[in-house]
Amino acid sequence: MSSKKPIVYVVSDSAGDTGESVLRAAAIQFHPLTVEIRRASYIMDREAVDRVLEEASREEAVILFTLVIPELRDYLTSRASKFSVSTIDLLGPIISRLESVLNKEALHQPGLIHQLDEDYFKKVEAVEFAVKYDDGRDSSGVLQADIVLVGVSRTSKTPLSMYLAHRTFKVANVPLVPELKPPDQLFTISNKKIVGLVIDPDKLNMIRRERLKALGLSGNAMYAQVERIKKELEYAREIMARLGCVVIDVSNKAVEETASVILGMFRNR
């Protein structure tokens, strides 16, 4: 490709979320090389396919497609050679293989993953719950939650709550601060619902300093001082020991990794 930054068109007869997610997951393996992703969503006829092929040809781009309509899929692959465009069929081989293994023909209907089914409404409800009961705003959420996250500030409680909400879990999170008494509700619920989050003091110091800078504040504020952080973490561990809850060290974990651990715990139950 002539461009310094390779271009990949994600072509879909739906929104294109699946194709982009898979592409990003694959592209990270070629770091530091970055890929420019351009979506071509809701491609439903041959004219639209030709327009994307023309653009991709001009840009010397690759096309990754998630077309489930066989006629469009076949049309794109047959026309791609005329435009000298390389293509990657993401769903076609999987669908064909499943048809063979399951001895059943696929529906070949675009957008089924986005239909408003029961799971969708559960997800919306869980997200609304996570927002309402974020950061201990209303301690009554502790009683209604499927999962309760506890920990000091900047241990990823909020992003974890949202991630788990997208897996339909209702999550409340409660900050643990030495100067504040934790809500009584924490000690009345099953400790199996509670997950404590801890982190290395030096790691947290770095995170908090960056947070303060982003807010235009001095990185030397008490909030980011190591001694203060150690005091908070010691207090948090004492509360977690009283609760008898599971404790996860998030020092070197991405939000997705921590969420995976928690999901594994609760799915097994």
Side-chain angles (χ1 to χ4, degrees), residues 118-164:
E118 183 182 355
D119 189 63
Y120 173 84
F121 290 108
K122 284 183 178 178
K123 186 185 300 183
V124 170
E125 186 180 0
V127 169
E128 290 174 346
F129 186 94
V131 171
K132 182 176 181 179
Y133 298 108
D134 180 44
D135 207 29
R137 289 177 192 161
D138 184 345
S139 56
S140 67
V142 168
L143 302 175
Q144 305 168 51
D146 300 316
I147 302 172
V148 179
L149 303 177
V150 298
V152 302
S153 173
R154 310 314 291 179
T155 47
S156 301
K157 295 188 301 299
T158 296
L160 261 176
S161 296
M162 296 306 298
Y163 191 101
L164 294 168

mmCIF file of all heavy atoms in Angstrom, residues 118-164:
data_model
loop_
_atom_site.group_PDB
_atom_site.id
_atom_site.type_symbol
_atom_site.label_atom_id
_atom_site.label_comp_id
_atom_site.label_asym_id
_atom_site.label_seq_id
_atom_site.Cartn_x
_atom_site.Cartn_y
_atom_site.Cartn_z
ATOM 1 N N GLU A 118 -35.169 -9.588 24.727
ATOM 2 C CA GLU A 118 -35.209 -9.456 26.182
ATOM 3 C C GLU A 118 -33.843 -9.093 26.751
ATOM 4 O O GLU A 118 -33.730 -8.282 27.679
ATOM 5 C CB GLU A 118 -35.696 -10.772 26.798
ATOM 6 C CG GLU A 118 -35.854 -10.714 28.309
ATOM 7 C CD GLU A 118 -36.300 -12.051 28.901
ATOM 8 O OE1 GLU A 118 -36.565 -12.986 28.114
ATOM 9 O OE2 GLU A 118 -36.369 -12.146 30.136
ATOM 10 N N ASP A 119 -32.775 -9.661 26.186
ATOM 11 C CA ASP A 119 -31.424 -9.391 26.660
ATOM 12 C C ASP A 119 -31.069 -7.921 26.482
ATOM 13 O O ASP A 119 -30.394 -7.330 27.321
ATOM 14 C CB ASP A 119 -30.428 -10.275 25.901
ATOM 15 C CG ASP A 119 -29.037 -10.205 26.500
ATOM 16 O OD1 ASP A 119 -28.883 -10.611 27.669
ATOM 17 O OD2 ASP A 119 -28.110 -9.756 25.804
ATOM 18 N N TYR A 120 -31.539 -7.332 25.390
ATOM 19 C CA TYR A 120 -31.264 -5.913 25.122
ATOM 20 C C TYR A 120 -31.853 -5.040 26.233
ATOM 21 O O TYR A 120 -31.194 -4.137 26.752
ATOM 22 C CB TYR A 120 -31.846 -5.515 23.770
ATOM 23 C CG TYR A 120 -31.758 -4.031 23.483
ATOM 24 C CD1 TYR A 120 -30.596 -3.466 22.959
ATOM 25 C CD2 TYR A 120 -32.828 -3.184 23.757
ATOM 26 C CE1 TYR A 120 -30.504 -2.100 22.709
ATOM 27 C CE2 TYR A 120 -32.749 -1.823 23.509
ATOM 28 C CZ TYR A 120 -31.584 -1.287 22.990
ATOM 29 O OH TYR A 120 -31.505 0.071 22.753
ATOM 30 N N PHE A 121 -33.103 -5.302 26.594
ATOM 31 C CA PHE A 121 -33.749 -4.484 27.610
ATOM 32 C C PHE A 121 -33.116 -4.695 28.981
ATOM 33 O O PHE A 121 -33.037 -3.770 29.788
ATOM 34 C CB PHE A 121 -35.251 -4.785 27.648
ATOM 35 C CG PHE A 121 -35.981 -4.281 26.431
ATOM 36 C CD1 PHE A 121 -36.444 -5.159 25.475
ATOM 37 C CD2 PHE A 121 -36.165 -2.922 26.225
ATOM 38 C CE1 PHE A 121 -37.100 -4.695 24.339
ATOM 39 C CE2 PHE A 121 -36.812 -2.445 25.101
ATOM 40 C CZ PHE A 121 -37.287 -3.337 24.147
ATOM 41 N N LYS A 122 -32.643 -5.907 29.256
ATOM 42 C CA LYS A 122 -31.924 -6.164 30.503
ATOM 43 C C LYS A 122 -30.636 -5.346 30.553
ATOM 44 O O LYS A 122 -30.255 -4.828 31.604
ATOM 45 C CB LYS A 122 -31.596 -7.654 30.630
ATOM 46 C CG LYS A 122 -32.777 -8.529 31.014
ATOM 47 C CD LYS A 122 -32.335 -9.976 31.175
ATOM 48 C CE LYS A 122 -33.484 -10.870 31.609
ATOM 49 N NZ LYS A 122 -33.067 -12.290 31.722
ATOM 50 N N LYS A 123 -29.973 -5.260 29.415
ATOM 51 C CA LYS A 123 -28.728 -4.497 29.338
ATOM 52 C C LYS A 123 -28.978 -3.019 29.602
ATOM 53 O O LYS A 123 -28.246 -2.372 30.369
ATOM 54 C CB LYS A 123 -28.089 -4.692 27.961
ATOM 55 C CG LYS A 123 -26.722 -4.052 27.821
ATOM 56 C CD LYS A 123 -26.194 -4.178 26.397
ATOM 57 C CE LYS A 123 -26.051 -5.617 25.961
ATOM 58 N NZ LYS A 123 -25.470 -5.721 24.606
ATOM 59 N N VAL A 124 -30.027 -2.462 28.978
ATOM 60 C CA VAL A 124 -30.366 -1.056 29.184
ATOM 61 C C VAL A 124 -30.683 -0.795 30.648
ATOM 62 O O VAL A 124 -30.222 0.183 31.247
ATOM 63 C CB VAL A 124 -31.567 -0.645 28.300
ATOM 64 C CG1 VAL A 124 -32.072 0.743 28.680
ATOM 65 C CG2 VAL A 124 -31.182 -0.685 26.824
ATOM 66 N N GLU A 125 -31.450 -1.685 31.246
ATOM 67 C CA GLU A 125 -31.818 -1.546 32.660
ATOM 68 C C GLU A 125 -30.572 -1.589 33.552
ATOM 69 O O GLU A 125 -30.452 -0.808 34.509
ATOM 70 C CB GLU A 125 -32.782 -2.664 33.054
ATOM 71 C CG GLU A 125 -33.334 -2.543 34.464
ATOM 72 C CD GLU A 125 -34.287 -3.671 34.820
ATOM 73 O OE1 GLU A 125 -34.526 -4.560 33.965
ATOM 74 O OE2 GLU A 125 -34.800 -3.678 35.964
ATOM 75 N N ALA A 126 -29.640 -2.483 33.219
ATOM 76 C CA ALA A 126 -28.422 -2.620 34.016
ATOM 77 C C ALA A 126 -27.535 -1.385 33.893
ATOM 78 O O ALA A 126 -26.926 -0.943 34.880
ATOM 79 C CB ALA A 126 -27.650 -3.862 33.585
ATOM 80 N N VAL A 127 -27.449 -0.812 32.698
ATOM 81 C CA VAL A 127 -26.648 0.407 32.497
ATOM 82 C C VAL A 127 -27.248 1.563 33.288
ATOM 83 O O VAL A 127 -26.530 2.330 33.951
ATOM 84 C CB VAL A 127 -26.556 0.760 30.993
ATOM 85 C CG1 VAL A 127 -25.955 2.149 30.816
ATOM 86 C CG2 VAL A 127 -25.725 -0.284 30.254
ATOM 87 N N GLU A 128 -28.559 1.709 33.232
ATOM 88 C CA GLU A 128 -29.227 2.771 33.985
ATOM 89 C C GLU A 128 -28.992 2.588 35.489
ATOM 90 O O GLU A 128 -28.793 3.560 36.225
ATOM 91 C CB GLU A 128 -30.723 2.777 33.678
ATOM 92 C CG GLU A 128 -31.046 3.238 32.259
ATOM 93 C CD GLU A 128 -32.515 3.111 31.921
ATOM 94 O OE1 GLU A 128 -33.252 2.426 32.676
ATOM 95 O OE2 GLU A 128 -32.941 3.690 30.895
ATOM 96 N N PHE A 129 -28.991 1.352 35.939
ATOM 97 C CA PHE A 129 -28.740 1.046 37.350
ATOM 98 C C PHE A 129 -27.323 1.465 37.737
ATOM 99 O O PHE A 129 -27.111 2.096 38.776
ATOM 100 C CB PHE A 129 -28.934 -0.454 37.594
ATOM 101 C CG PHE A 129 -28.840 -0.866 39.032
ATOM 102 C CD1 PHE A 129 -29.981 -0.978 39.817
ATOM 103 C CD2 PHE A 129 -27.613 -1.157 39.617
ATOM 104 C CE1 PHE A 129 -29.910 -1.367 41.151
ATOM 105 C CE2 PHE A 129 -27.524 -1.538 40.943
ATOM 106 C CZ PHE A 129 -28.679 -1.642 41.719
ATOM 107 N N ALA A 130 -26.351 1.117 36.890
ATOM 108 C CA ALA A 130 -24.944 1.438 37.180
ATOM 109 C C ALA A 130 -24.733 2.946 37.283
ATOM 110 O O ALA A 130 -23.962 3.419 38.134
ATOM 111 C CB ALA A 130 -24.042 0.847 36.098
ATOM 112 N N VAL A 131 -25.407 3.704 36.428
ATOM 113 C CA VAL A 131 -25.283 5.168 36.456
ATOM 114 C C VAL A 131 -25.908 5.723 37.735
ATOM 115 O O VAL A 131 -25.331 6.591 38.404
ATOM 116 C CB VAL A 131 -25.962 5.791 35.214
ATOM 117 C CG1 VAL A 131 -26.021 7.319 35.344
ATOM 118 C CG2 VAL A 131 -25.215 5.399 33.948
ATOM 119 N N LYS A 132 -27.082 5.209 38.086
ATOM 120 C CA LYS A 132 -27.806 5.716 39.257
ATOM 121 C C LYS A 132 -27.060 5.445 40.559
ATOM 122 O O LYS A 132 -27.048 6.283 41.471
ATOM 123 C CB LYS A 132 -29.194 5.075 39.314
ATOM 124 C CG LYS A 132 -30.052 5.582 40.468
ATOM 125 C CD LYS A 132 -31.455 4.981 40.416
ATOM 126 C CE LYS A 132 -32.317 5.505 41.560
ATOM 127 N NZ LYS A 132 -33.698 4.954 41.520
ATOM 128 N N TYR A 133 -26.419 4.271 40.636
ATOM 129 C CA TYR A 133 -25.779 3.889 41.895
ATOM 130 C C TYR A 133 -24.254 3.915 41.802
ATOM 131 O O TYR A 133 -23.561 3.157 42.477
ATOM 132 C CB TYR A 133 -26.276 2.513 42.332
ATOM 133 C CG TYR A 133 -27.771 2.504 42.601
ATOM 134 C CD1 TYR A 133 -28.648 1.871 41.725
ATOM 135 C CD2 TYR A 133 -28.301 3.163 43.704
ATOM 136 C CE1 TYR A 133 -30.023 1.882 41.948
ATOM 137 C CE2 TYR A 133 -29.668 3.177 43.943
ATOM 138 C CZ TYR A 133 -30.526 2.536 43.062
ATOM 139 O OH TYR A 133 -31.875 2.564 43.285
ATOM 140 N N ASP A 134 -23.746 4.798 40.968
ATOM 141 C CA ASP A 134 -22.298 4.950 40.809
ATOM 142 C C ASP A 134 -21.694 5.724 41.977
ATOM 143 O O ASP A 134 -22.290 6.687 42.468
ATOM 144 C CB ASP A 134 -22.001 5.683 39.489
ATOM 145 C CG ASP A 134 -20.524 5.878 39.252
ATOM 146 O OD1 ASP A 134 -19.749 4.924 39.477
ATOM 147 O OD2 ASP A 134 -20.124 6.986 38.838
ATOM 148 N N ASP A 135 -20.524 5.304 42.402
ATOM 149 C CA ASP A 135 -19.727 6.029 43.393
ATOM 150 C C ASP A 135 -20.469 6.277 44.704
ATOM 151 O O ASP A 135 -20.290 7.305 45.344
ATOM 152 C CB ASP A 135 -19.255 7.358 42.795
ATOM 153 C CG ASP A 135 -17.958 7.836 43.426
ATOM 154 O OD1 ASP A 135 -17.163 6.989 43.858
ATOM 155 O OD2 ASP A 135 -17.746 9.068 43.499
ATOM 156 N N GLY A 136 -21.318 5.323 45.108
ATOM 157 C CA GLY A 136 -21.989 5.415 46.398
ATOM 158 C C GLY A 136 -23.001 6.528 46.528
ATOM 159 O O GLY A 136 -23.337 6.945 47.644
ATOM 160 N N ARG A 137 -23.526 7.031 45.394
ATOM 161 C CA ARG A 137 -24.487 8.150 45.458
ATOM 162 C C ARG A 137 -25.726 7.797 46.273
ATOM 163 O O ARG A 137 -26.279 8.626 46.969
ATOM 164 C CB ARG A 137 -24.932 8.528 44.035
ATOM 165 C CG ARG A 137 -23.856 9.207 43.218
ATOM 166 C CD ARG A 137 -24.360 9.471 41.820
ATOM 167 N NE ARG A 137 -23.271 9.862 40.926
ATOM 168 C CZ ARG A 137 -23.354 9.807 39.608
ATOM 169 N NH1 ARG A 137 -24.460 9.389 39.025
ATOM 170 N NH2 ARG A 137 -22.327 10.179 38.871
ATOM 171 N N ASP A 138 -26.190 6.570 46.123
ATOM 172 C CA ASP A 138 -27.385 6.127 46.826
ATOM 173 C C ASP A 138 -27.104 4.718 47.353
ATOM 174 O O ASP A 138 -27.069 3.758 46.586
ATOM 175 C CB ASP A 138 -28.581 6.120 45.872
ATOM 176 C CG ASP A 138 -29.883 5.750 46.565
ATOM 177 O OD1 ASP A 138 -29.822 5.234 47.701
ATOM 178 O OD2 ASP A 138 -30.946 5.969 45.973
ATOM 179 N N SER A 139 -26.911 4.609 48.660
ATOM 180 C CA SER A 139 -26.492 3.324 49.241
ATOM 181 C C SER A 139 -27.581 2.258 49.162
ATOM 182 O O SER A 139 -27.302 1.072 49.357
ATOM 183 C CB SER A 139 -26.063 3.522 50.696
ATOM 184 O OG SER A 139 -27.096 4.128 51.445
ATOM 185 N N SER A 140 -28.822 2.644 48.838
ATOM 186 C CA SER A 140 -29.883 1.636 48.723
ATOM 187 C C SER A 140 -29.629 0.716 47.532
ATOM 188 O O SER A 140 -30.149 -0.405 47.480
ATOM 189 C CB SER A 140 -31.252 2.311 48.567
ATOM 190 O OG SER A 140 -31.345 3.004 47.327
ATOM 191 N N GLY A 141 -28.820 1.173 46.583
ATOM 192 C CA GLY A 141 -28.496 0.348 45.425
ATOM 193 C C GLY A 141 -27.746 -0.910 45.803
ATOM 194 O O GLY A 141 -27.819 -1.924 45.107
ATOM 195 N N VAL A 142 -27.041 -0.863 46.936
ATOM 196 C CA VAL A 142 -26.286 -2.021 47.420
ATOM 197 C C VAL A 142 -27.221 -3.215 47.632
ATOM 198 O O VAL A 142 -26.866 -4.365 47.363
ATOM 199 C CB VAL A 142 -25.546 -1.667 48.727
ATOM 200 C CG1 VAL A 142 -24.996 -2.909 49.404
ATOM 201 C CG2 VAL A 142 -24.422 -0.670 48.441
ATOM 202 N N LEU A 143 -28.429 -2.938 48.111
ATOM 203 C CA LEU A 143 -29.384 -4.002 48.418
ATOM 204 C C LEU A 143 -29.978 -4.621 47.159
ATOM 205 O O LEU A 143 -30.369 -5.789 47.157
ATOM 206 C CB LEU A 143 -30.520 -3.446 49.293
ATOM 207 C CG LEU A 143 -30.101 -2.815 50.631
ATOM 208 C CD1 LEU A 143 -31.306 -2.205 51.327
ATOM 209 C CD2 LEU A 143 -29.444 -3.852 51.521
ATOM 210 N N GLN A 144 -30.037 -3.831 46.077
ATOM 211 C CA GLN A 144 -30.680 -4.295 44.852
ATOM 212 C C GLN A 144 -29.697 -4.868 43.831
ATOM 213 O O GLN A 144 -30.106 -5.528 42.876
ATOM 214 C CB GLN A 144 -31.425 -3.130 44.193
ATOM 215 C CG GLN A 144 -32.418 -2.433 45.098
ATOM 216 C CD GLN A 144 -32.891 -1.124 44.495
ATOM 217 O OE1 GLN A 144 -33.309 -1.073 43.339
ATOM 218 N NE2 GLN A 144 -32.809 -0.049 45.272
ATOM 219 N N ALA A 145 -28.414 -4.614 44.034
ATOM 220 C CA ALA A 145 -27.404 -4.969 43.039
ATOM 221 C C ALA A 145 -27.135 -6.468 42.964
ATOM 222 O O ALA A 145 -27.269 -7.193 43.952
ATOM 223 C CB ALA A 145 -26.104 -4.223 43.344
ATOM 224 N N ASP A 146 -26.742 -6.899 41.763
ATOM 225 C CA ASP A 146 -26.242 -8.269 41.588
ATOM 226 C C ASP A 146 -24.805 -8.360 42.076
ATOM 227 O O ASP A 146 -24.379 -9.384 42.617
ATOM 228 C CB ASP A 146 -26.283 -8.664 40.103
ATOM 229 C CG ASP A 146 -27.679 -8.626 39.522
ATOM 230 O OD1 ASP A 146 -28.609 -9.106 40.195
ATOM 231 O OD2 ASP A 146 -27.847 -8.114 38.402
ATOM 232 N N ILE A 147 -24.048 -7.269 41.831
ATOM 233 C CA ILE A 147 -22.631 -7.205 42.203
ATOM 234 C C ILE A 147 -22.379 -5.849 42.850
ATOM 235 O O ILE A 147 -22.870 -4.820 42.365
ATOM 236 C CB ILE A 147 -21.717 -7.349 40.970
ATOM 237 C CG1 ILE A 147 -21.987 -8.670 40.235
ATOM 238 C CG2 ILE A 147 -20.238 -7.256 41.370
ATOM 239 C CD1 ILE A 147 -21.260 -8.791 38.904
ATOM 240 N N VAL A 148 -21.593 -5.840 43.921
ATOM 241 C CA VAL A 148 -21.202 -4.582 44.569
ATOM 242 C C VAL A 148 -19.678 -4.494 44.562
ATOM 243 O O VAL A 148 -18.996 -5.384 45.089
ATOM 244 C CB VAL A 148 -21.727 -4.512 46.024
ATOM 245 C CG1 VAL A 148 -21.273 -3.202 46.675
ATOM 246 C CG2 VAL A 148 -23.251 -4.623 46.049
ATOM 247 N N LEU A 149 -19.157 -3.445 43.968
ATOM 248 C CA LEU A 149 -17.710 -3.219 43.915
ATOM 249 C C LEU A 149 -17.325 -2.219 44.990
ATOM 250 O O LEU A 149 -17.971 -1.175 45.129
ATOM 251 C CB LEU A 149 -17.307 -2.672 42.541
ATOM 252 C CG LEU A 149 -17.688 -3.507 41.319
ATOM 253 C CD1 LEU A 149 -17.276 -2.781 40.036
ATOM 254 C CD2 LEU A 149 -17.036 -4.883 41.372
ATOM 255 N N VAL A 150 -16.276 -2.522 45.740
ATOM 256 C CA VAL A 150 -15.787 -1.593 46.764
ATOM 257 C C VAL A 150 -14.287 -1.393 46.560
ATOM 258 O O VAL A 150 -13.569 -2.306 46.159
ATOM 259 C CB VAL A 150 -16.079 -2.105 48.191
ATOM 260 C CG1 VAL A 150 -17.575 -2.228 48.435
ATOM 261 C CG2 VAL A 150 -15.395 -3.445 48.456
ATOM 262 N N GLY A 151 -13.833 -0.174 46.834
ATOM 263 C CA GLY A 151 -12.409 0.115 46.697
ATOM 264 C C GLY A 151 -12.151 1.593 46.808
ATOM 265 O O GLY A 151 -13.091 2.409 46.822
ATOM 266 N N VAL A 152 -10.886 1.956 46.874
ATOM 267 C CA VAL A 152 -10.526 3.373 46.957
ATOM 268 C C VAL A 152 -10.709 4.031 45.585
ATOM 269 O O VAL A 152 -10.959 3.350 44.584
ATOM 270 C CB VAL A 152 -9.072 3.550 47.454
ATOM 271 C CG1 VAL A 152 -8.887 2.888 48.806
ATOM 272 C CG2 VAL A 152 -8.064 2.999 46.440
ATOM 273 N N SER A 153 -10.576 5.321 45.549
ATOM 274 C CA SER A 153 -10.740 6.072 44.309
ATOM 275 C C SER A 153 -9.701 5.673 43.263
ATOM 276 O O SER A 153 -8.532 5.467 43.568
ATOM 277 C CB SER A 153 -10.605 7.579 44.602
ATOM 278 O OG SER A 153 -10.592 8.335 43.414
ATOM 279 N N ARG A 154 -10.149 5.563 42.005
ATOM 280 C CA ARG A 154 -9.315 5.259 40.829
ATOM 281 C C ARG A 154 -8.864 3.796 40.789
ATOM 282 O O ARG A 154 -7.779 3.489 40.310
ATOM 283 C CB ARG A 154 -8.082 6.178 40.737
ATOM 284 C CG ARG A 154 -8.338 7.663 40.869
ATOM 285 C CD ARG A 154 -9.482 8.161 40.047
ATOM 286 N NE ARG A 154 -9.204 8.121 38.602
ATOM 287 C CZ ARG A 154 -10.073 8.497 37.661
ATOM 288 N NH1 ARG A 154 -11.285 8.892 37.992
ATOM 289 N NH2 ARG A 154 -9.743 8.431 36.395
ATOM 290 N N THR A 155 -9.730 2.906 41.243
ATOM 291 C CA THR A 155 -9.440 1.478 41.078
ATOM 292 C C THR A 155 -10.366 0.870 40.015
ATOM 293 O O THR A 155 -10.645 -0.331 40.036
ATOM 294 C CB THR A 155 -9.591 0.711 42.409
ATOM 295 O OG1 THR A 155 -10.821 1.092 43.047
ATOM 296 C CG2 THR A 155 -8.419 0.981 43.334
ATOM 297 N N SER A 156 -10.856 1.702 39.124
ATOM 298 C CA SER A 156 -11.673 1.281 37.966
ATOM 299 C C SER A 156 -13.064 0.798 38.341
ATOM 300 O O SER A 156 -13.662 0.003 37.612
ATOM 301 C CB SER A 156 -10.950 0.178 37.172
ATOM 302 O OG SER A 156 -9.703 0.612 36.714
ATOM 303 N N LYS A 157 -13.608 1.298 39.451
ATOM 304 C CA LYS A 157 -14.946 0.851 39.862
ATOM 305 C C LYS A 157 -16.011 1.238 38.843
ATOM 306 O O LYS A 157 -16.855 0.417 38.481
ATOM 307 C CB LYS A 157 -15.308 1.427 41.240
ATOM 308 C CG LYS A 157 -14.428 0.935 42.380
ATOM 309 C CD LYS A 157 -14.930 1.381 43.733
ATOM 310 C CE LYS A 157 -15.026 2.890 43.893
ATOM 311 N NZ LYS A 157 -13.716 3.579 43.741
ATOM 312 N N THR A 158 -15.970 2.490 38.380
ATOM 313 C CA THR A 158 -17.007 2.954 37.445
ATOM 314 C C THR A 158 -16.914 2.262 36.083
ATOM 315 O O THR A 158 -17.919 1.742 35.595
ATOM 316 C CB THR A 158 -16.949 4.484 37.286
ATOM 317 O OG1 THR A 158 -17.255 5.089 38.549
ATOM 318 C CG2 THR A 158 -17.948 4.966 36.243
ATOM 319 N N PRO A 159 -15.744 2.245 35.423
ATOM 320 C CA PRO A 159 -15.687 1.546 34.131
ATOM 321 C C PRO A 159 -16.023 0.060 34.251
ATOM 322 O O PRO A 159 -16.634 -0.520 33.359
ATOM 323 C CB PRO A 159 -14.251 1.760 33.654
ATOM 324 C CG PRO A 159 -13.487 2.261 34.817
ATOM 325 C CD PRO A 159 -14.470 2.942 35.708
ATOM 326 N N LEU A 160 -15.652 -0.553 35.373
ATOM 327 C CA LEU A 160 -16.001 -1.954 35.596
ATOM 328 C C LEU A 160 -17.512 -2.126 35.718
ATOM 329 O O LEU A 160 -18.095 -3.074 35.175
ATOM 330 C CB LEU A 160 -15.337 -2.465 36.877
ATOM 331 C CG LEU A 160 -14.046 -3.269 36.729
ATOM 332 C CD1 LEU A 160 -13.477 -3.593 38.101
ATOM 333 C CD2 LEU A 160 -14.279 -4.545 35.939
ATOM 334 N N SER A 161 -18.146 -1.197 36.429
ATOM 335 C CA SER A 161 -19.599 -1.247 36.588
ATOM 336 C C SER A 161 -20.290 -1.187 35.237
ATOM 337 O O SER A 161 -21.236 -1.933 34.968
ATOM 338 C CB SER A 161 -20.084 -0.086 37.468
ATOM 339 O OG SER A 161 -19.578 -0.185 38.774
ATOM 340 N N MET A 162 -19.816 -0.305 34.362
ATOM 341 C CA MET A 162 -20.425 -0.154 33.049
ATOM 342 C C MET A 162 -20.158 -1.370 32.179
ATOM 343 O O MET A 162 -21.034 -1.824 31.434
ATOM 344 C CB MET A 162 -19.896 1.114 32.371
ATOM 345 C CG MET A 162 -20.259 2.406 33.090
ATOM 346 S SD MET A 162 -22.036 2.592 33.400
ATOM 347 C CE MET A 162 -22.671 2.625 31.725
ATOM 348 N N TYR A 163 -18.959 -1.911 32.267
ATOM 349 C CA TYR A 163 -18.621 -3.097 31.468
ATOM 350 C C TYR A 163 -19.512 -4.271 31.873
ATOM 351 O O TYR A 163 -20.071 -4.973 31.025
ATOM 352 C CB TYR A 163 -17.148 -3.451 31.683
ATOM 353 C CG TYR A 163 -16.616 -4.497 30.721
ATOM 354 C CD1 TYR A 163 -15.859 -4.121 29.620
ATOM 355 C CD2 TYR A 163 -16.883 -5.851 30.922
ATOM 356 C CE1 TYR A 163 -15.368 -5.076 28.733
ATOM 357 C CE2 TYR A 163 -16.405 -6.806 30.041
ATOM 358 C CZ TYR A 163 -15.644 -6.416 28.954
ATOM 359 O OH TYR A 163 -15.180 -7.371 28.072
ATOM 360 N N LEU A 164 -19.664 -4.470 33.181
ATOM 361 C CA LEU A 164 -20.482 -5.569 33.678
ATOM 362 C C LEU A 164 -21.963 -5.331 33.380
ATOM 363 O O LEU A 164 -22.720 -6.272 33.163
ATOM 364 C CB LEU A 164 -20.266 -5.748 35.184
ATOM 365 C CG LEU A 164 -18.863 -6.215 35.583
ATOM 366 C CD1 LEU A 164 -18.665 -6.081 37.097
ATOM 367 C CD2 LEU A 164 -18.621 -7.654 35.155
#
